[in-house]
Amino acid sequence: MAPITESQVERVRALVASIPSGFVATYGDIAAAADLSSPRIVGWIMRTDSADLPWHRVLGASGRPAPHLATRQLETLRGEGVAVRDGRVPLKSIRFDFGALPSPLESTTNLGG
């Protein structure tokens, strides 16, 4: 794996923080939105720097949490009103669309012009 930059870490963190309660995203969704080459990079970042984020809203592509987090993660999601069936979340109805977020390159201020 190529070295991970601070800007990549911050972008992943910002994307995870933007997932609203009652929605979820996959590692692949976040990788695509952050322009990263692999969902595994997101997983690595999440393992090392996500304690203060809504990490429970990030799932594998199957809608299943990591086995070592499953009970805690699914209970937390249920508490947010997320349906869980057979140990997985049905992604289709509650998958967050990062495409609705402004690009990190777009200005968020209006300086006139």
Side-chain angles (χ1 to χ4, degrees):
M1 180 168 38
I4 296 169
T5 67
E6 187 63 31
S7 66
Q8 290 171 324
V9 170
E10 290 308 312
R11 181 69 177 143
V12 167
R13 288 180 51 78
L15 289 165
V16 173
S18 74
I19 304 168
S21 178
F23 288 85
V24 297
T26 68
Y27 293 98
D29 295 338
I30 296 167
D35 198 28
L36 298 173
S37 61
S38 170
R40 291 179 185 266
I41 297 170
V42 175
W44 184 87
I45 292 169
M46 295 290 294
R47 273 192 311 277
T48 59
D49 191 16
S50 68
D52 62 333
L53 296 172
W55 60 268
H56 59 279
R57 297 179 187 149
V58 181
L59 299 164
S62 68
R64 293 188 187 280
H68 68 286
L69 297 171
T71 300
R72 183 171 166 210
Q73 189 167 12
L74 294 176
E75 285 176 3
T76 305
L77 288 170
R78 280 187 192 102
E80 293 183 353
V82 172
V84 176
R85 293 186 192 100
D86 297 322
R88 64 180 291 277
V89 173
L91 297 173
K92 188 174 183 178
S93 61
I94 60 165
R95 197 173 200 163
F96 185 65
D97 179 10
F98 290 108
L101 296 174
S103 164
L105 301 177
E106 291 178 17
S107 173
T108 57
T109 62
N110 183 358
L111 300 176

